[in-house]
Amino acid sequence: MFSITVRDHIMIAHSFRGEVFGPAQRLHGATFLVDATFRRAELDDDNIVVDIGLATQELGAVVSELNYRNLDNEPDFANTNTSTEFLAKVVADRLAERIHKGALGENAKGIASLTVTLHESHIAWASYERAL
């Protein structure tokens, strides 16, 4: 299996509901490094997994929809704990939608899976992997 990974970052504010979150129940900020890894079994006709420039561009477009936002005020996330794991799925699903619409080129339709990892710090991160 071949893969490429592109990276961006987001800065958000949010709060959580539930005792398990302790002090994070209060409004707080978070900065995440965001990695998107695209995988396919065989390279395309250009011997690449996907156009890395387009992949970087589309990841940037997806994270810009979340960047500098208080997610508690976003209608898409009403009554939702926007945990790191949840946000990794949001980014992956939005990238998948762009792949299906052709934003990463026709050859990107050969991508088998996508993993999005949000790094909270140098010692903690969460990922979501999905098939395409």
Side-chain angles (χ1 to χ4, degrees), residues 26-79:
R26 293 187 296 270
L27 182 64
H28 62 280
T31 301
F32 300 105
L33 281 178
V34 181
D35 290 333
T37 300
F38 303 84
R39 292 185 181 85
R40 65 190 304 158
E42 300 296 331
L43 298 176
D44 71 7
D45 293 341
D46 297 313
N47 273 345
I48 60 175
V49 173
V50 67
D51 182 321
I52 199 166
L54 288 176
T56 302
Q57 176 184 304
E58 293 305 315
L59 176 60
V62 167
V63 299
S64 73
E65 297 169 355
L66 304 170
N67 211 10
Y68 295 105
R69 301 265 190 329
N70 179 347
L71 301 183
D72 294 350
N73 297 333
E74 295 295 316
D76 286 351
F77 305 128
N79 302 312

Side-chain angles (χ1 to χ4, degrees), residues 31 33 84 117-126:
T31 301
L33 281 178
T84 306
T117 301
L118 271 61
H119 300 262
E120 291 189 30
S121 72
H122 65 290
I123 59 170
W125 55 88

